[in-house]
Amino acid sequence: MPEDDGCPKRMEYGPCGGVRPDLTCEMAAHPCPFAVGGEVVAWHGEEPPAPGPSALLERARTRPVVLTDLTVRPFDAANVRAVTRILAGSCDALLVGEHHGRPDFPPALMATLIRDMGGQPVITLSCRDRNRVVLEQEVAGLAEVGVAGVLCVTGDGRAPGVRLGATQVFDVDGTRLAALAAAAGLVAAVPEAPDAPPVPIRPARLREKQRAGARLAVLNHVGSVDRLAAFAAAARAAGATVPLVAGVAVYTDEHSASVLQRFPGLHLDPEQVDAVLRAPDPVAAGIAAAVAEARALLAVDGVVGVNLSGSASARGVEFAAGIKAEVGRRISGGRAT
């Protein structure tokens, strides 16, 4: 880590996925020290334990797997159950995200609600709003209730004016959190943003996350299949063997597309977005576009699955869940988990 990193997130293993095109920080008006340094910080923590069994990773060895973002109304257990019921048979796992302006139930409770309805949860843990002690508690709770995996993220910086008075903690970063999760016997998944600057060091950064204990990488959307293939090849050349799950954008209206387009480090094909939104039936066009994108990404060497990402529709979370369920069924050929 640089002697004076100037990182508002206090990252030790940067850069995060929010570096701007001019290499400045997403949270401060100065260059990201990890980005301008141009070198990957090597993992210097403990060696991860021997990996335990994982049903999700075992399935990924024989066929493509589908992860689907779980989009629900906050603090609404009945809605979690209803949306999970819609999605459970269409995918291999449900990815529970975290939102800086919209908190929800604690991770272990979310995992329990999902499992009770037949879903397999992959829970996102962010370092933004939890100190190390609380992260250790969350990891232990998830290990106790049982989850398909834990997506370990540093977390986006909270936008100005959002949750005023709430402290941004950043005791540890996503790489160190992955090590905590692996040590607890959980399947540690990590994000990576292939299109986020500085692009050249992203492959080696994934290698270091793997050295910390990561067993799965969930990638941000990329602008083209060729760019994903280039990243996957560079990651393998750098020594990263962790299986890759590629992001598939699911949107059927202007709102669901714009939410994805605003996400740091995420890139959509503007021509494809325009084609979906201008189609006579944007829902059918959005489903077809997502399925086509998924099939193209799954043909990339090293990609073992896709993550159906985004809110899908502004017409309510249950309607949106139906859209993502249809995408998942078409990708898998109707196969239930």
Side-chain angles (χ1 to χ4, degrees), residues 107-299:
L109 176 56
M110 285 292 288
T112 300
L113 291 170
I114 293 166
R115 285 175 57 88
D116 286 349
M117 298 307 299
Q120 295 299 319
V122 173
I123 302 292
T124 301
L125 283 183
S126 164
C127 305
R128 179 187 53 247
D129 299 316
R130 302 179 177 92
N131 66 19
R132 184 185 177 102
V133 173
V134 175
L135 286 169
E136 290 172 351
Q137 292 174 327
E138 303 284 29
V139 164
L142 293 174
E144 181 66 25
V145 302
V147 293
V150 179
L151 181 61
C152 302
V153 306
T154 301
D156 302 323
R158 188 173 285 109
V162 176
R163 302 288 296 181
L164 294 175
T167 302
Q168 301 188 89
V169 183
F170 295 117
D171 255 9
V172 298
D173 55 29
T175 302
R176 286 178 283 171
L177 177 56
L180 289 175
L186 293 164
V187 174
V190 293
E192 193 50 80
D195 271 357
V199 171
I201 72 172
R202 295 287 172 184
R205 185 167 182 259
L206 181 56
R207 177 196 63 215
E208 298 308 314
K209 290 181 179 181
Q210 178 178 308
R211 292 185 59 219
R215 297 178 64 191
L216 186 70
V218 180
L219 305 180
N220 276 5
H221 305 277
V222 294
S224 71
V225 175
D226 288 344
R227 281 152 72 173
L228 174 65
F231 171 81
R236 293 297 178 269
T241 59
V242 60
L244 307 177
V245 172
V248 171
V250 185
Y251 54 88
T252 58
D253 52 32
E254 186 173 350
H255 174 77
S256 54
S258 64
V259 169
L260 286 168
Q261 289 169 317
R262 291 196 302 267
F263 196 87
L266 186 153
H267 296 274
L268 302 182
D269 182 344
E271 293 185 2
Q272 182 64 67
V273 173
D274 187 63
V276 168
L277 299 186
R278 291 179 179 273
D281 185 347
V283 171
I287 290 172
V291 173
E293 181 183 16
R295 290 174 175 162
L297 296 175
L298 287 168

Side-chain angles (χ1 to χ4, degrees), residues 16-35:
C16 70
V19 181
R20 301 184 189 280
D22 62 357
L23 301 187
T24 56
C25 173
E26 68 170 348
M27 295 179 63
H30 60 68
C32 168
F34 298 103

Side-chain angles (χ1 to χ4, degrees), residues 307-333:
N307 169 215
L308 306 184
S309 177
S311 59
S313 173
R315 294 167 60 180
V317 293
E318 293 185 33
F319 182 84
I323 291 172
K324 287 188 276 192
E326 179 61 21
V327 174
R329 283 191 291 266
R330 292 192 191 184
I331 293 169
S332 62

